Amino acid sequence: MIDISYMKSRSAMYHFLSGLIMCELKDEDYAKYKNVNLASLFEGGAIKESAAAFDEYFKSPEDIEDLAVDYAKTLLGAGIAEAKAAFCIESIYTSAKHIIMQEAWVKMHELITNEGIRITNKTDIMEDHLSSELEYMAHICNKEEQPGEMLKAQRDFIETHLINWVLLWRDDVIKYSETKYYPICANLIADFIVSDYEEIKQILMQEKSDENTDEKAKGVPCSESYTLSRGEFDRLLEKLSEDYDVYAPALSHVEGWQDKDSEVRYKLVKSRDEIINDKISEFSPKELIYPISQVMFRFEENKCKPTDDTPTKDILIFARVFDINGTKRLDKIFLENGYFVDSYYKARRDHVKFVLMESKIAYDGCFCASMGANKCDESDISMAVDLDSDDNKDASINIKVTDKSLLSYLEGCKKSDYEPKFLENDPISVRIPRISQVKQIQKVHDLPFWSTYNDKCIQCGKCNTVCPTCSCYETADFLDQQNARTGERRRVWCSCMLPEYSKTAGGFVARPNPEQTMRFKTLHKIYDYNKRFGGDMHMCVGCGRCITQCPEDISFFDTINTLSDEVEALIKEGE
């Protein structure tokens, strides 16, 4: 249950922040702000630091006339050249021409009118002025009806009208202001919005979790297990194929420079015989969610048209546990990395379900247990097949369904008590380096062992291509042959192992050598990702494809273990 007092305290904070930038600081504000003690309201993080800086400022404030001049210059653009100010207007930051009274103003006008409220008594404050938007947040935080729905409305408003430009505005205030006060205010406003946004998301996630828990407590079945014959399983695939594009590892003929009759790739399947269950696929199922080449929009003369990459049918993917966990890493990168959701990725991801293919053996090069990616509970179906009975047409197949929308496909099938099992140990253990301090990074960066890859790695990028978690891409325009002013923009997979990936304007290549690209990739997989998102997940899920598919037989788990040994030596030196 969402506490009403929580909503009202947030309303008061938004009202307070609005007043900081609605007009210049007045004489009467000094005594009021001096006794606020904002830092006591927050437990930690950037917002507490910003609040403490605000409290500290009023112990020795600047001259009020200097602040008035700075307000006019920095926030109103008075007496300065264009684009040298931090205008508090959303339209200026979010419209194509960076001018006032654009789409953001229209939307804010509609919101305020629909609520039947007057944001401020000042007649010259625009509807999409930051102080107006903060006052609007104060208003909807103060509404007592349906607090859960109102919290969703507040989250949506922050996403649509605040967090999409306030951080840029804060940076401009810091850049152009000549006093200490307004950068402190800008930091306080931006940090509170970010903190509040994160807290709202956490509350809503907990509310959803509680709803699911309540549903389970009422006895509503959330999962069922079944035992199917070979024929029943094929009929299940037929039923699923009516509503889903069903993909699974299958033999695929290869034509190219390699002399290869076939390899295991993800293909559309309609029977058990097509599914390869005793080998790991050469490529991950990543390309089904995040295509190798994806059209972002089409342009024609002076206009462009976004493309809709939503699949015509939902997608059901038979995958190993590490590939499902690999998709969780991609979800973090594309859906939770900052404050913007990648709409192209989300358009496909929302239509994907997974079938976990239980593994009874450890595959070559696999070290998923060491990376904590050997278990998962995110699959919609789990499946176990007796590998020794593939030729037996009567061999049973165990199924566990955890998505209630899929239960109808199993009507009439024999129920069982099957629970998926997971491998507990790797054939070769991998030790994650203990990099716990930022000051260690420079020493890790300078380790001599990275240079050994100059004689090993050919920088082909295949390790990135087969990896289920690599997400790097580049964008390119493809012009129509008949008219060079029309065409489409695509994003295409790229590789951090390629020198060209780090090329900047002017032709400078930041990472030209294998030692630099290998270092960049390795640290991203076993340090940077975890540092960014926290928890116990690393970007590498230990599938081993980068090892088995490398033309130079470079072992990534050897790279990680060697780095771990080097880091331990650095730690001992520090002691």
Side-chain angles (χ1 to χ4, degrees):
M1 181 66 68
I2 298 170
D3 191 348
I4 296 297
S5 63
Y6 163 74
M7 303 285 272
K8 289 187 176 297
S9 65
R10 292 174 51 245
S11 174
M13 188 63 189
Y14 275 109
H15 177 70
F16 173 82
L17 296 176
S18 173
L20 296 180
I21 50 153
M22 186 175 292
C23 59
E24 68 273 15
L25 191 71
K26 305 291 186 181
D27 285 322
E28 58 267 25
D29 295 327
Y30 272 104
K32 180 173 63 175
Y33 292 163
K34 185 175 182 179
N35 299 316
V36 166
N37 192 14
L38 282 179
S40 64
L41 302 177
F42 307 102
E43 294 182 357
I47 179 57
K48 188 173 183 68
E49 294 178 8
S50 297
F54 184 87
D55 295 338
E56 186 69 23
Y57 173 83
F58 283 94
K59 294 179 180 179
S60 55
E62 296 157 299
D63 183 80
I64 195 165
E65 291 185 3
D66 291 340
L67 293 179
V69 171
D70 195 35
Y71 180 88
K73 179 185 74 70
T74 303
L75 302 181
L76 301 179
I80 61 170
E82 185 179 359
K84 295 293 184 180
F87 297 100
C88 303
I89 308 294
E90 182 184 350
S91 289
I92 292 178
Y93 280 89
T94 60
S95 65
K97 295 183 179 180
H98 304 294
I99 57 177
I100 63 172
M101 299 185 74
Q102 299 302 297
E103 185 179 3
W105 177 84
V106 173
K107 290 182 177 179
M108 280 303 303
H109 181 78
E110 291 176 355
L111 288 172
I112 293 170
T113 302
N114 291 338
E115 285 291 325
I117 60 174
R118 185 172 183 177
I119 292 295
T120 174
N121 292 325
K122 288 176 66 65
T123 58
D124 58 341
I125 294 291
M126 303 188 73
E127 285 85 341
D128 63 337
H129 190 279
L130 180 55
S131 63
S132 299
E133 295 187 353
L134 293 172
E135 277 294 340
Y136 181 82
M137 272 296 293
H139 171 77
I140 61 177
C141 286
N142 204 36
K143 296 179 71 172
E144 295 186 10
E145 65 267 25
Q146 297 181 313
E149 290 303 313
M150 290 311 303
L151 201 61
K152 293 177 183 176
Q154 293 157 30
R155 175 202 61 193
D156 295 343
F157 183 81
I158 293 175
E159 289 179 348
T160 307
H161 288 285
L162 286 173
I163 215 161
N164 59 330
W165 70 283
V166 166
L167 300 182
L168 298 174
W169 169 80
R170 185 262 309 274
D171 292 343
D172 283 345
V173 173
I174 295 171
K175 181 178 180 181
Y176 297 121
S177 179
E178 295 180 358
T179 65
K180 298 178 182 178
Y181 178 66
Y182 287 107
I184 288 174
C185 291
N187 272 325
L188 180 64
I189 291 170
D191 289 339
F192 179 76
I193 291 171
V194 170
S195 173
D196 193 47
Y197 177 61
E198 294 295 338
E199 191 170 28
I200 289 173
K201 289 198 299 182
Q202 289 296 322
I203 292 173
L204 292 175
M205 286 176 62
Q206 185 60 49
E207 287 280 308
K208 186 175 181 180
S209 175
D210 290 345
E211 288 176 5
N212 292 337
T213 301
D214 291 342
E215 189 176 66
K216 291 178 182 179
K218 293 174 185 176
V220 177
C222 295
S223 67
E224 294 286 352
S225 295
Y226 302 87
T227 298
L228 279 64
S229 67
R230 195 66 165 264
E232 287 175 325
F233 185 78
D234 282 345
R235 286 192 291 274
L236 171 62
L237 288 180
E238 289 179 10
K239 290 181 183 179
L240 289 169
S241 296
E242 294 175 3
D243 301 314
Y244 295 87
D245 283 333
V246 182
Y247 287 89
L251 290 177
S252 177
H253 180 66
V254 177
E255 293 182 0
W257 65 274
Q258 285 184 314
D259 184 15
K260 214 174 194 181
D261 291 333
S262 62
E263 64 180 11
V264 180
R265 297 285 297 271
Y266 271 83
K267 294 176 57 178
L268 284 169
V269 297
K270 291 190 176 181
S271 73
R272 167 66 187 90
D273 291 336
E274 297 178 74
I275 301 174
I276 301 299
N277 196 53
D278 59 348
K279 296 178 183 178
I280 182 175
S281 60
E282 273 84 346
F283 286 74
S284 78
K286 172 178 68 176
E287 61 187 293
L288 302 175
I289 306 170
Y290 170 41
I292 297 172
S293 178
Q294 189 172 27
V295 178
M296 303 174 72
F297 58 83
R298 180 165 182 81
F299 51 88
E300 297 177 358
E301 298 295 338
N302 61 346
K303 55 183 180 178
C304 66
K305 180 180 180 182
T307 56
D308 182 6
D309 199 31
T310 303
T312 55
K313 293 173 69 174
D314 286 350
I315 299 171
L316 190 67
I317 303 174
F318 283 71
R320 304 294 177 189
V321 61
F322 41 72
D323 284 331
I324 297 175
N325 281 317
T327 303
K328 287 172 58 178
R329 274 60 167 176
L330 290 180
D331 290 347
K332 286 282 187 182
I333 292 293
F334 286 113
L335 303 179
E336 301 177 35
N337 191 16
Y339 307 104
F340 300 93
V341 170
D342 188 301
S343 58
Y344 302 101
Y345 179 87
K346 190 175 188 300
R348 297 185 66 84
R349 181 67 179 93
D350 286 346
H351 294 269
V352 172
K353 297 180 186 293
F354 281 102
V355 177
L356 169 67
M357 301 173 68
E358 183 180 305
S359 301
K360 296 184 179 180
I361 59 172
Y363 299 101
D364 289 344
C366 181
F367 52 98
C368 62
S370 296
M371 302 308 300
N374 59 319
K375 298 178 181 180
C376 79
D377 55 6
E378 285 79 16
S379 61
D380 302 282
I381 298 177
S382 301
M383 179 187 84
V385 180
D386 188 348
L387 295 178
D388 296 328
S389 304
D390 276 354
D391 294 332
N392 184 352
K393 298 302 181 183
D394 295 325
S396 62
I397 298 171
N398 290 309
I399 295 283
K400 180 180 179 181
V401 181
T402 51
D403 183 336
K404 286 181 288 187
S405 67
L406 298 172
L407 287 175
S408 60
Y409 295 94
L410 278 298
E411 287 183 1
C413 294
K414 180 182 177 182
K415 291 189 177 182
S416 71
D417 58 358
Y418 163 70
E419 290 291 334
K421 297 179 177 61
F422 300 100
L423 291 173
E424 297 293 337
N425 300 297
D426 298 321
I428 301 178
S429 180
V430 173
R431 305 180 306 279
I432 306 299
R434 293 193 300 150
I435 306 174
S436 58
Q437 300 179 13
V438 175
K439 65 181 182 180
Q440 289 178 284
I441 291 297
Q442 187 59 53
K443 293 182 179 180
V444 170
H445 183 279
D446 296 334
L447 287 171
F449 102 94
W450 296 116
S451 63
T452 62
Y453 291 99
N454 288 329
D455 296 326
K456 299 177 182 178
C457 178
I458 59 174
Q459 295 180 288
C460 66
K462 189 170 184 179
C463 54
N464 299 121
T465 304
V466 299
C467 176
T469 67
C470 280
S471 58
C472 294
Y473 64 84
E474 62 181 357
T475 57
D477 290 341
F478 293 81
L479 305 180
D480 294 342
Q481 292 184 350
Q482 302 301 320
N483 184 354
R485 297 185 64 186
T486 66
E488 58 190 25
R489 177 163 296 174
R490 304 176 193 169
R491 70 174 180 189
V492 184
W493 284 6
C494 198
S495 166
C496 64
M497 294 300 292
L498 303 178
E500 291 80 6
Y501 184 70
S502 63
K503 182 182 288 187
T504 59
F508 174 73
V509 177
R511 295 185 292 273
N513 301 318
E515 63 177 295
Q516 296 160 331
T517 54
M518 179 61 79
R519 178 177 60 219
F520 180 85
K521 182 188 77 170
T522 303
L523 290 177
H524 191 47
K525 295 293 185 184
I526 51 87
Y527 173 75
D528 296 334
Y529 177 92
N530 181 263
K531 181 73 174 176
R532 171 70 179 85
F533 294 107
D536 57 359
M537 290 197 306
H538 291 277
M539 194 169 192
C540 175
V541 292
C543 69
R545 290 187 180 94
C546 60
I547 300 171
T548 58
Q549 299 299 311
C550 177
E552 296 298 306
D553 295 326
I554 295 174
S555 169
F556 193 54
F557 58 66
D558 282 346
T559 300
I560 298 175
N561 282 341
T562 301
L563 177 58
S564 184
D565 292 339
E566 296 282 353
V567 170
E568 290 301 313
L570 290 175
I571 293 174
K572 289 181 180 179
E573 289 176 8
E575 295 174 351

